[in-house]
Amino acid sequence: TAAVGLSCVWHNLEYMDCSWRPGENASSDTNYTLFYWFDGLKNHKKCNNYSMDRGRCIFNLSFPNVTNTYPAISILIRDDSEEIRPVCASKNPTTLVRPATPRRLTLSKVNDEIYVEWSESDTFPENCLSYEVKCRNGDTTQIIQVIFHYLTDIFFSPMCLLLFVENNYTSIPSVDPNSKYTFQVRAKPKPECYSSKLSSDWSEEKSIGEKADSTFYLVLIVTIPLIVAVSTIILLVYLKRLKILILPPIPDPREILKRMFGEQNEDSQVSKKL
């Protein structure tokens, strides 16, 4: 009858979202209630913000002092009925952290360089987030790591340039002026601050540049083979005529003799008539 599959996510260091499934032997009218407590609270608190679907509750969770060490959270799920077995779990909040999606993604282009910038988090301590920037040029996708507040190395690729920067932006130099570039960003907790491996959702796509007109390339693809084929035919005809001029065909002696005897026979027949 106890709730099973308890899973919690600490969203943006602001609120905890916990979900669970009813016990296999629990009745359909079982009304589970979530309580939580951590070191620093005088009394346990009850979660009152239940979602419309059963087995999920959201409660605000923040700590007075922003620090890299957080107390463990004890979570109790039970029903008022004694027939329902309670379940208790202890959660390390640093393993449950999930940042919010980066907002205000802006792109700008100066000459042949694209600048990408996004908003910083207001709830995370400084130097505790890293970012992934997804750059798409046409049908090609590449994920590049942008580590927040670190300047260490440069990576080159056929499409994008990766820089470790000290601010919440990066730049892509030497871009194709006839290509359209699309970017997305997501945030990840840094392991030196949190033990969580949860990433935020990808930001909305933002694009810059114009994709080259595919009609021009289509015309080239059709025209070039046609020109090559016509040129080949003309060249073959020209070479054949040139060969005839340089190496004329040798007459067949049999044809010559045949024509000679044929003419003699005609002359003899004419003489007999006369």
Side-chain angles (χ1 to χ4, degrees), residues 79-231:
D79 185 88
D80 293 336
S81 172
E82 295 181 356
E83 297 179 356
I84 302 300
R85 180 182 176 183
V87 67
C88 187
S90 179
K91 299 287 186 180
N92 178 1
T94 66
T95 65
L96 311 176
V97 175
R98 186 181 188 188
T101 304
R103 296 173 291 110
R104 296 192 296 273
L105 178 63
T106 58
L107 307 175
S108 58
K109 188 176 181 181
V110 179
N111 298 327
D112 61 346
E113 189 168 8
I114 296 177
Y115 293 89
V116 187
E117 187 175 0
W118 55 91
S119 60
E120 298 183 64
S121 174
D122 298 328
T123 59
F124 279 81
E126 191 176 2
N127 301 338
C128 279
L129 285 180
S130 63
Y131 298 91
E132 285 182 341
V133 179
K134 185 163 61 175
C135 173
R136 187 172 72 251
N137 178 8
D139 296 330
T140 306
T141 302
Q142 179 181 4
I143 297 178
I144 58 178
Q145 301 281 341
V146 181
I147 306 301
F148 193 52
H149 278 292
Y150 276 88
L151 179 60
T152 57
D153 205 351
I154 299 176
F155 290 87
F156 292 92
S157 74
M159 182 189 64
C160 292
L161 172 71
L162 171 61
L163 294 173
F164 291 96
V165 296
E166 293 184 356
N167 297 296
N168 56 324
Y169 64 86
T170 188
S171 61
I172 313 297
S174 304
V175 298
D176 184 358
N178 297 320
S179 293
K180 180 180 180 180
Y181 291 85
T182 303
F183 293 87
Q184 285 180 286
V185 182
R186 70 177 179 181
K188 299 180 69 175
K190 294 183 68 173
E192 51 264 41
C193 297
Y194 306 99
S195 302
S196 174
K197 296 182 180 180
L198 300 176
S199 302
S200 71
D201 292 331
W202 287 105
S203 65
E204 293 184 0
E205 290 186 348
K206 285 292 184 69
S207 300
I208 192 170
E210 295 296 333
K211 188 176 181 180
D213 188 6
S214 59
T215 305
F216 174 73
Y217 295 102
L218 182 61
V219 171
L220 286 180
I221 292 173
V222 175
T223 304
I224 291 177
L226 183 61
I227 293 174
V228 172
V230 172
S231 301

Side-chain angles (χ1 to χ4, degrees), residues 4-18:
V4 294
L6 174 62
S7 176
C8 296
V9 177
W10 192 14
H11 289 275
N12 207 38
L13 305 182
E14 294 178 311
Y15 63 91
M16 188 77 78
D17 185 351
C18 293

Side-chain angles (χ1 to χ4, degrees), residues 1-46:
T1 59
V4 294
L6 174 62
S7 176
C8 296
V9 177
W10 192 14
H11 289 275
N12 207 38
L13 305 182
E14 294 178 311
Y15 63 91
M16 188 77 78
D17 185 351
C18 293
S19 60
W20 62 89
R21 301 189 307 275
E24 182 179 352
N25 297 324
S27 59
S28 59
D29 59 348
T30 301
N31 185 21
Y32 293 102
T33 306
L34 185 146
F35 299 87
Y36 65 95
W37 179 90
F38 57 86
D39 190 15
L41 287 181
K42 295 181 179 180
N43 300 304
H44 65 270
K45 290 189 176 182
K46 179 181 179 181

